[in-house]
Amino acid sequence: MKRRLLLIVFFGCGAGLMSVRGEDGWVEEGDERESLSVSTEPEKGILPLKIVHPPEGRTLPAVKSSFVYGWADPLGKLTVNGFPVTTHAGGGWLTVIPYTPGAFTIQAELKLPTTTYVTLRRVVVAGEESSFPVPSSRALQPDENLLLQAGETVVVEALGPPGERAYFQWAGSRRKVPMEEIYSNGKGIYRGFFIVPSREEYERKIENDAIKITMVDKKGRNKRKVLAPGRISRFDRPAPWVVEVSVDPAVLRAGPGVVKGEKSGYILYPPMGTRLLVTGRRGEEFRVALTSTREAWIGVKDVVDLSPGARAPRAVVSSVSVERSGRHTLVRAAVGTKVPFEVRACDDLSALDVLFYGAVSDTDWIHYGGAGGAVRRVEWFQEENDIYRLRVHLHPGRWWGYDARYENGWFVLELRRPLSNTRNPSSLAGLMVAVDAGHSSDRGSIGPTEFLEKDANWAIALCLEKKLKRAGAEVFMVRKGNEPVGLYERPQRAWKAKADLLISVHNNALPEGANPFDRNGYGVYYFQPHSFGLANQIHEAYGDLFGGRGKHQGRSRAKLRDDGLHYGNLALARTTQMPAVLTESAYMILPNEEALLKTEKFQCDCAEAMILGLKRFVRDVRERDTSP
């Protein structure tokens, strides 16, 4: 009887553990039964099976199912946790498996004619909150130290066994504030509130005060006391607390992190030297006042303290001028103090609004110099007591990017005009295109056969470079080869090179819990309103080439799902100085799409879609400008 062998290979952080067994049980060293001759190294010394994702020891979020992928010999029969999985001809495989909370083992088994290989991957799956009961009390909120104004509300939360009585006290107060159990489904989450008292209500200084939470069992016999992780201080500073932005780039966010370690959305990007008025603090973030009714948050490490003695940030906007500088138009406003500002574009790109927070008007003069620029006229409004709005009316088609900065006591808005070409509006000749091959020192996502996104991006970028030069464009490669370039350094390099257009080349992946069989294919991302047209045209071009439609479908190309056109708050897409988009040509984690990304033909087809979209966008912009 022919004996079938099973080779079990454990891949972990340390050395692999391999065991061999026959059909009649384990064969240990020194076993007196028939000896088995087994090769532990298949052809070329490479084992024919591997789980690539998730990594060994990874802690996954509380998902009920997620994707697993890797590579295997396509001649074998593959199962993952007992379910059959198809292996792509290129060797990659992908499946979605159900998860249960806690320690979880993924087992992939590959059956070849003479040998069966097994590899295990051990992960931890986070549990849902409903998986409690909780054996003891645990404080949840506040989870970071808070500096608050009098009258602000503090939320106090704790986790404990359901059905108990809970209350809290803060240092220096004997009052017991009751906490209500906010769920009745056995989660045991208790919540209460208190308002920070004023000096008139409570004279003692409130500084680094602890919050003590008490849980009492149903019989009233046992009490458990815990301290909240965060402490409370009252904002008692008599003078303004002024800080100055000390990093570039800096980010003002819409709110504090909801959970410790997380951040909220971006809203403004203040340049270095911008002054801000601090009104509170949560953990490592300052709350700053933009106006009397609007606030924002910035990292403590992103500013330097100018107090004591610094006056609250306040600017007076006086004269405004408009002038041409080569192809471009400059709008200058005398501001003096660097206060936060925000630039907003109208939907039809016929105007830009610049909002200065903490500024008032003394604008008696607006001077225009030179004809034929991007600006039609300028007007100003005192929106509120502390918001000055400068509206710049524009000629559509005479601008497609802007740089907003402070310069020697002036605010400068530089509007960049596209290079004209009336004879051939779609020509790229003479334009400088910045090509950003995403990732490098960070490898990006990884495919089932361990093909790295950074390498796929670079291959597409090289093909795009060749096609752009063939079309007469100048090309600036944001990174060269495996050169490490920081995320925020990339748009800075493109602007320093005075690029007219920016394309960031990427390929996609998915977060845990998503289904790659539902989400795949090509997608294009933009952020700035003046970049939407470019993103839309490139997205349409991808559809023409890979969606089997339009005049370009005759040539044999891969068919891909349309993953959509997206607004995305991404560092490269946020670039203001030029139309900037980010492309995701395919999903690295799908075996068939990873296999396509390895081929020069597909790489250059992706570059062709970008070229086609660029030409259409340039034509559209130029045709809107009928001026000399």
Side-chain angles (χ1 to χ4, degrees):
M1 175 179 175
K2 186 174 181 180
R3 187 179 299 273
R4 180 171 63 88
L5 302 181
L6 176 63
L7 175 62
I8 299 181
V9 185
F10 295 92
F11 291 102
C13 297
L17 171 62
M18 293 181 288
S19 300
V20 181
R21 69 174 179 180
E23 288 186 326
D24 55 350
W26 292 100
V27 180
E28 304 287 355
E29 184 179 357
D31 197 312
E32 295 181 354
R33 289 175 291 181
E34 177 184 359
S35 121
L36 301 175
S37 175
V38 178
S39 170
T40 59
E41 294 191 6
E43 186 180 358
K44 297 182 181 179
I46 300 174
L47 294 166
L49 173 64
K50 185 174 182 179
I51 298 173
V52 173
H53 180 89
E56 175 71 18
R58 169 72 60 86
T59 297
L60 307 180
V63 293
K64 294 182 179 179
S65 64
S66 194
F67 50 87
V68 178
Y69 61 79
W71 47 261
D73 187 336
L75 298 178
K77 292 183 178 180
L78 175 67
T79 60
V80 176
N81 285 11
F83 295 96
V85 177
T86 301
T87 301
H88 187 268
W93 57 265
L94 168 74
T95 188
V96 173
I97 64 170
Y99 279 122
T100 55
F104 190 91
T105 299
I106 304 165
Q107 177 174 309
E109 180 176 306
L110 180 69
K111 293 183 179 180
L112 291 169
T114 59
T115 312
T116 296
Y117 296 87
V118 175
T119 181
L120 306 180
R121 183 55 47 91
R122 292 149 297 199
V123 297
V124 177
V125 183
E128 300 179 355
E129 285 185 350
S130 58
S131 63
F132 295 102
V134 180
S136 61
S137 303
R138 179 161 64 91
L140 299 176
Q141 293 287 344
D143 60 351
E144 294 185 284
N145 292 341
L146 303 177
L147 174 62
L148 300 173
Q149 306 270 1
E152 293 192 75
T153 300
V154 178
V155 179
V156 181
E157 283 188 0
L159 193 64
E164 296 205 335
R165 182 170 63 91
Y167 60 88
F168 71 87
Q169 297 167 283
W170 52 280
S173 171
R174 295 182 179 181
R175 181 190 171 201
K176 297 178 180 179
V177 183
M179 301 177 71
E180 179 184 358
E181 188 175 2
I182 59 176
Y183 296 109
S184 58
N185 60 356
K187 290 187 177 180
I189 297 179
Y190 299 82
R191 179 180 294 167
F193 307 88
F194 84 96
I195 297 174
V196 178
S198 66
R199 292 178 65 95
E200 291 75 20
E201 296 170 312
Y202 189 77
E203 292 184 1
R204 189 184 72 83
K205 187 175 184 180
I206 301 173
E207 186 172 10
N208 205 34
D209 283 1
I211 295 178
K212 180 173 64 177
I213 301 170
T214 302
M215 308 286 291
V216 184
D217 66 13
K218 295 177 182 179
K219 296 182 179 181
R221 297 176 181 174
N222 297 317
K223 293 183 179 180
R224 296 178 306 283
K225 298 180 180 181
V226 292
L227 293 180
R231 298 194 168 214
I232 308 297
S233 298
R234 184 174 58 200
F235 197 105
D236 282 335
R237 299 173 71 103
W241 185 359
V242 182
V243 296
E244 186 173 279
V245 174
S246 59
V247 299
D248 184 24
V251 175
L252 284 175
R253 298 178 182 270
V258 177
V259 178
K260 184 177 180 179
E262 293 186 0
K263 303 291 185 181
S264 58
Y266 296 18
I267 54 171
L268 296 179
Y269 313 93
M272 287 183 65
T274 300
R275 294 194 172 190
L276 304 166
L277 179 64
V278 177
T279 62
R281 177 172 178 169
R282 177 187 173 93
E284 293 303 305
E285 292 181 285
F286 280 137
R287 181 180 61 193
V288 298
L290 296 178
T291 71
S292 58
T293 58
R294 188 179 179 190
E295 64 186 29
W297 295 75
I298 191 168
V300 170
K301 295 180 180 179
D302 294 342
V303 297
V304 293
D305 193 347
L306 298 183
S307 301
R311 294 186 300 173
R314 191 74 168 172
V316 177
V317 184
S318 54
S319 63
V320 176
S321 65
V322 180
E323 62 188 68
R324 291 189 64 179
S325 177
R327 279 197 286 135
H328 310 315
T329 304
L330 301 179
V331 179
R332 299 182 186 272
V335 176
T337 303
K338 294 181 180 180
V339 293
F341 65 82
E342 180 178 7
V343 182
R344 297 178 182 173
C346 295
D347 287 343
D348 61 359
L349 305 183
S350 64
L352 285 175
D353 283 335
V354 185
L355 284 77
F356 295 91
Y357 296 105
V360 296
S361 172
D362 185 28
T363 309
D364 293 330
W365 305 97
I366 299 177
H367 305 285
Y368 299 90
V375 177
R376 292 193 293 119
R377 67 184 178 92
V378 178
E379 58 183 331
W380 64 267
F381 306 88
Q382 190 70 48
E383 290 288 285
E384 299 177 16
N385 292 337
D386 43 11
I387 301 179
Y388 173 96
R389 175 161 65 99
L390 192 69
R391 167 154 285 199
V392 182
H393 295 274
L394 301 166
H395 292 285
R398 296 193 200 174
W399 74 282
W400 65 3
Y402 65 85
D403 183 59
R405 59 186 182 268
Y406 283 114
E407 195 174 83
N408 300 322
W410 292 78
F411 168 80
V412 180
L413 179 70
E414 180 179 344
L415 293 148
R416 307 188 67 211
R417 185 171 183 174
L419 184 68
S420 63
N421 190 327
T422 55
R423 296 182 60 184
N424 185 4
S426 64
S427 173
L428 301 180
L431 292 173
M432 171 70 80
V433 181
V435 177
D436 169 55
H439 304 286
S440 179
S441 52
D442 64 314
R443 65 188 188 185
S445 53
I446 183 173
T449 65
E450 300 182 275
F451 188 39
L452 301 182
E453 184 196 347
K454 73 178 184 69
D455 296 328
N457 299 344
W458 178 245
I460 294 173
L462 285 178
C463 193
L464 178 58
E465 179 188 26
K466 293 177 184 177
K467 288 179 178 289
L468 285 167
K469 289 182 176 179
R470 200 176 301 141
E474 299 178 52
V475 182
F476 173 72
M477 300 297 283
V478 173
R479 77 163 164 99
K480 297 176 176 61
N482 287 321
E483 175 190 14
V485 185
L487 180 61
Y488 293 107
E489 184 183 353
R490 293 169 184 251
Q492 292 172 353
R493 285 190 174 192
W495 171 228
K496 187 176 181 180
K498 297 300 181 184
D500 293 295
L501 300 145
L502 169 61
I503 296 182
S504 186
V505 179
H506 284 256
N507 287 283
N508 224 334
L510 286 171
E512 295 292 348
N515 189 337
F517 299 108
D518 294 335
R519 181 83 186 272
N520 48 69
Y522 63 87
V524 182
Y525 295 75
Y526 78 97
F527 181 78
Q528 300 294 349
H530 61 267
S531 297
F532 174 80
L534 177 58
N536 186 53
Q537 289 292 10
I538 291 178
H539 176 250
E540 288 289 324
Y542 268 90
D544 289 345
L545 269 63
F546 300 117
R549 66 172 188 262
K551 62 182 181 180
H552 297 275
Q553 65 181 355
R555 182 181 168 189
S556 175
R557 288 189 174 92
K559 298 294 186 294
L560 291 177
R561 173 184 170 274
D562 182 356
D563 197 38
L565 174 63
H566 308 275
Y567 166 92
N569 193 350
L570 304 166
L572 271 295
R574 285 197 301 269
T575 303
T576 65
Q577 293 90 351
M578 64 206 76
V581 300
L582 185 146
T583 62
E584 302 275 11
S585 296
Y587 275 74
M588 295 292 302
I589 65 177
L590 268 76
N592 61 314
E593 296 188 17
E594 181 204 33
L596 285 172
L597 285 166
K598 290 181 175 182
T599 67
E600 184 178 359
K601 180 179 183 303
F602 182 75
Q603 295 162 2
C604 289
D605 282 348
C606 295
E608 184 64 29
M610 298 175 205
I611 289 284
L612 183 60
L614 279 167
K615 289 181 176 180
R616 291 173 176 176
F617 171 70
V618 169
R619 177 201 63 205
D620 290 350
V621 173
R622 284 171 172 159
E623 288 179 349
R624 296 182 71 190
D625 181 12
T626 57
S627 66

